[in-house]
PDB file of all heavy atoms in Angstrom:
ATOM      1  N   GLU B  24       2.128   5.049   0.617  1.00 95.00           N
ATOM      2  CA  GLU B  24       1.984   5.967   1.729  1.00 95.00           C
ATOM      3  C   GLU B  24       1.012   7.080   1.364  1.00 95.00           C
ATOM      4  O   GLU B  24       0.993   7.562   0.225  1.00 95.00           O
ATOM      5  CB  GLU B  24       3.339   6.560   2.089  1.00 95.00           C
ATOM      6  CG  GLU B  24       4.329   5.552   2.630  1.00 95.00           C
ATOM      7  CD  GLU B  24       5.635   6.207   3.013  1.00 95.00           C
ATOM      8  OE1 GLU B  24       5.613   7.264   3.670  1.00 95.00           O
ATOM      9  OE2 GLU B  24       6.684   5.668   2.652  1.00 95.00           O
ATOM     10  N   ALA B  25       0.221   7.515   2.341  1.00 97.00           N
ATOM     11  CA  ALA B  25      -0.784   8.558   2.091  1.00 97.00           C
ATOM     12  C   ALA B  25      -0.147   9.919   1.908  1.00 97.00           C
ATOM     13  O   ALA B  25      -0.757  10.821   1.327  1.00 97.00           O
ATOM     14  CB  ALA B  25      -1.793   8.594   3.231  1.00 97.00           C
ATOM     15  N   VAL B  26       1.068  10.095   2.406  1.00 98.00           N
ATOM     16  CA  VAL B  26       1.791  11.360   2.270  1.00 98.00           C
ATOM     17  C   VAL B  26       3.236  11.048   1.916  1.00 98.00           C
ATOM     18  O   VAL B  26       3.877  10.214   2.570  1.00 98.00           O
ATOM     19  CB  VAL B  26       1.730  12.188   3.573  1.00 98.00           C
ATOM     20  CG1 VAL B  26       2.612  13.425   3.473  1.00 98.00           C
ATOM     21  CG2 VAL B  26       0.293  12.597   3.872  1.00 98.00           C
ATOM     22  N   LEU B  27       3.753  11.726   0.888  1.00 98.00           N
ATOM     23  CA  LEU B  27       5.139  11.553   0.459  1.00 98.00           C
ATOM     24  C   LEU B  27       5.961  12.753   0.918  1.00 98.00           C
ATOM     25  O   LEU B  27       5.457  13.875   0.966  1.00 98.00           O
ATOM     26  CB  LEU B  27       5.211  11.424  -1.059  1.00 98.00           C
ATOM     27  CG  LEU B  27       4.322  10.342  -1.690  1.00 98.00           C
ATOM     28  CD1 LEU B  27       4.462  10.365  -3.210  1.00 98.00           C
ATOM     29  CD2 LEU B  27       4.658   8.963  -1.131  1.00 98.00           C
ATOM     30  N   TYR B  28       7.227  12.491   1.222  1.00 98.00           N
ATOM     31  CA  TYR B  28       8.102  13.542   1.740  1.00 98.00           C
ATOM     32  C   TYR B  28       9.458  13.451   1.063  1.00 98.00           C
ATOM     33  O   TYR B  28      10.107  12.406   1.075  1.00 98.00           O
ATOM     34  CB  TYR B  28       8.258  13.377   3.254  1.00 98.00           C
ATOM     35  CG  TYR B  28       9.123  14.420   3.925  1.00 98.00           C
ATOM     36  CD1 TYR B  28       8.605  15.669   4.267  1.00 98.00           C
ATOM     37  CD2 TYR B  28      10.463  14.158   4.219  1.00 98.00           C
ATOM     38  CE1 TYR B  28       9.398  16.625   4.889  1.00 98.00           C
ATOM     39  CE2 TYR B  28      11.256  15.113   4.845  1.00 98.00           C
ATOM     40  CZ  TYR B  28      10.717  16.338   5.172  1.00 98.00           C
ATOM     41  OH  TYR B  28      11.493  17.287   5.788  1.00 98.00           O
ATOM     42  N   VAL B  29       9.878  14.553   0.462  1.00 98.00           N
ATOM     43  CA  VAL B  29      11.168  14.613  -0.239  1.00 98.00           C
ATOM     44  C   VAL B  29      11.833  15.938   0.092  1.00 98.00           C
ATOM     45  O   VAL B  29      11.163  16.979   0.147  1.00 98.00           O
ATOM     46  CB  VAL B  29      10.978  14.498  -1.767  1.00 98.00           C
ATOM     47  CG1 VAL B  29      12.314  14.651  -2.490  1.00 98.00           C
ATOM     48  CG2 VAL B  29      10.332  13.174  -2.139  1.00 98.00           C
ATOM     49  N   VAL B  30      13.165  15.913   0.296  1.00 98.00           N
ATOM     50  CA  VAL B  30      13.930  17.143   0.514  1.00 98.00           C
ATOM     51  C   VAL B  30      14.967  17.280  -0.587  1.00 98.00           C
ATOM     52  O   VAL B  30      15.717  16.337  -0.863  1.00 98.00           O
ATOM     53  CB  VAL B  30      14.624  17.142   1.888  1.00 98.00           C
ATOM     54  CG1 VAL B  30      15.475  18.403   2.063  1.00 98.00           C
ATOM     55  CG2 VAL B  30      13.609  17.044   3.011  1.00 98.00           C
ATOM     56  N   GLU B  31      15.000  18.439  -1.207  1.00 97.00           N
ATOM     57  CA  GLU B  31      15.985  18.732  -2.240  1.00 97.00           C
ATOM     58  C   GLU B  31      16.255  20.231  -2.247  1.00 97.00           C
ATOM     59  O   GLU B  31      15.322  21.032  -2.207  1.00 97.00           O
ATOM     60  CB  GLU B  31      15.474  18.282  -3.609  1.00 97.00           C
ATOM     61  CG  GLU B  31      16.511  18.376  -4.706  1.00 97.00           C
ATOM     62  CD  GLU B  31      16.019  17.794  -6.019  1.00 97.00           C
ATOM     63  OE1 GLU B  31      14.869  17.307  -6.075  1.00 97.00           O
ATOM     64  OE2 GLU B  31      16.794  17.815  -6.995  1.00 97.00           O
ATOM     65  N   ASN B  32      17.533  20.590  -2.273  1.00 96.00           N
ATOM     66  CA  ASN B  32      17.935  22.001  -2.336  1.00 96.00           C
ATOM     67  C   ASN B  32      17.316  22.838  -1.214  1.00 96.00           C
ATOM     68  O   ASN B  32      16.844  23.952  -1.449  1.00 96.00           O
ATOM     69  CB  ASN B  32      17.562  22.602  -3.693  1.00 96.00           C
ATOM     70  CG  ASN B  32      18.266  21.914  -4.837  1.00 96.00           C
ATOM     71  OD1 ASN B  32      19.417  21.508  -4.706  1.00 96.00           O
ATOM     72  ND2 ASN B  32      17.575  21.743  -5.947  1.00 96.00           N
ATOM     73  N   ASN B  33      17.329  22.272   0.005  1.00 97.00           N
ATOM     74  CA  ASN B  33      16.805  22.957   1.201  1.00 97.00           C
ATOM     75  C   ASN B  33      15.296  23.172   1.171  1.00 97.00           C
ATOM     76  O   ASN B  33      14.757  23.953   1.953  1.00 97.00           O
ATOM     77  CB  ASN B  33      17.503  24.307   1.408  1.00 97.00           C
ATOM     78  CG  ASN B  33      18.996  24.181   1.536  1.00 97.00           C
ATOM     79  OD1 ASN B  33      19.748  24.630   0.667  1.00 97.00           O
ATOM     80  ND2 ASN B  33      19.458  23.549   2.597  1.00 97.00           N
ATOM     81  N   ILE B  34      14.597  22.471   0.269  1.00 98.00           N
ATOM     82  CA  ILE B  34      13.134  22.584   0.154  1.00 98.00           C
ATOM     83  C   ILE B  34      12.519  21.216   0.429  1.00 98.00           C
ATOM     84  O   ILE B  34      12.868  20.228  -0.222  1.00 98.00           O
ATOM     85  CB  ILE B  34      12.718  23.060  -1.252  1.00 98.00           C
ATOM     86  CG1 ILE B  34      13.354  24.414  -1.577  1.00 98.00           C
ATOM     87  CG2 ILE B  34      11.197  23.128  -1.367  1.00 98.00           C
ATOM     88  CD1 ILE B  34      13.275  24.781  -3.049  1.00 98.00           C
ATOM     89  N   ALA B  35      11.603  21.156   1.392  1.00 98.00           N
ATOM     90  CA  ALA B  35      10.852  19.930   1.662  1.00 98.00           C
ATOM     91  C   ALA B  35       9.542  19.968   0.878  1.00 98.00           C
ATOM     92  O   ALA B  35       8.804  20.946   0.964  1.00 98.00           O
ATOM     93  CB  ALA B  35      10.568  19.788   3.152  1.00 98.00           C
ATOM     94  N   THR B  36       9.293  18.931   0.110  1.00 98.00           N
ATOM     95  CA  THR B  36       8.021  18.820  -0.605  1.00 98.00           C
ATOM     96  C   THR B  36       7.169  17.763   0.079  1.00 98.00           C
ATOM     97  O   THR B  36       7.579  16.605   0.209  1.00 98.00           O
ATOM     98  CB  THR B  36       8.234  18.447  -2.076  1.00 98.00           C
ATOM     99  OG1 THR B  36       9.023  19.467  -2.712  1.00 98.00           O
ATOM    100  CG2 THR B  36       6.894  18.338  -2.799  1.00 98.00           C
ATOM    101  N   ILE B  37       6.000  18.166   0.520  1.00 98.00           N
ATOM    102  CA  ILE B  37       5.032  17.273   1.161  1.00 98.00           C
ATOM    103  C   ILE B  37       3.880  17.071   0.183  1.00 98.00           C
ATOM    104  O   ILE B  37       3.206  18.028  -0.193  1.00 98.00           O
ATOM    105  CB  ILE B  37       4.521  17.869   2.481  1.00 98.00           C
ATOM    106  CG1 ILE B  37       5.690  18.070   3.460  1.00 98.00           C
ATOM    107  CG2 ILE B  37       3.448  16.984   3.098  1.00 98.00           C
ATOM    108  CD1 ILE B  37       5.299  18.820   4.734  1.00 98.00           C
ATOM    109  N   THR B  38       3.672  15.825  -0.240  1.00 98.00           N
ATOM    110  CA  THR B  38       2.658  15.528  -1.253  1.00 98.00           C
ATOM    111  C   THR B  38       1.578  14.634  -0.688  1.00 98.00           C
ATOM    112  O   THR B  38       1.851  13.500  -0.259  1.00 98.00           O
ATOM    113  CB  THR B  38       3.299  14.834  -2.469  1.00 98.00           C
ATOM    114  OG1 THR B  38       4.364  15.640  -2.981  1.00 98.00           O
ATOM    115  CG2 THR B  38       2.261  14.625  -3.573  1.00 98.00           C
ATOM    116  N   MET B  39       0.352  15.118  -0.672  1.00 98.00           N
ATOM    117  CA  MET B  39      -0.785  14.280  -0.299  1.00 98.00           C
ATOM    118  C   MET B  39      -0.990  13.257  -1.417  1.00 98.00           C
ATOM    119  O   MET B  39      -1.076  13.624  -2.593  1.00 98.00           O
ATOM    120  CB  MET B  39      -2.027  15.147  -0.084  1.00 98.00           C
ATOM    121  CG  MET B  39      -1.902  16.053   1.128  1.00 98.00           C
ATOM    122  SD  MET B  39      -3.286  17.224   1.348  1.00 98.00           S
ATOM    123  CE  MET B  39      -2.815  18.491   0.146  1.00 98.00           C
TER     124      MET B  39
END
Side-chain angles (χ1 to χ4, degrees):
E24 294 182 46
V26 174
L27 306 178
Y28 181 82
V29 176
V30 177
E31 188 174 0
N32 298 324
N33 302 113
I34 302 166
T36 300
I37 299 173
T38 305
M39 293 175 280

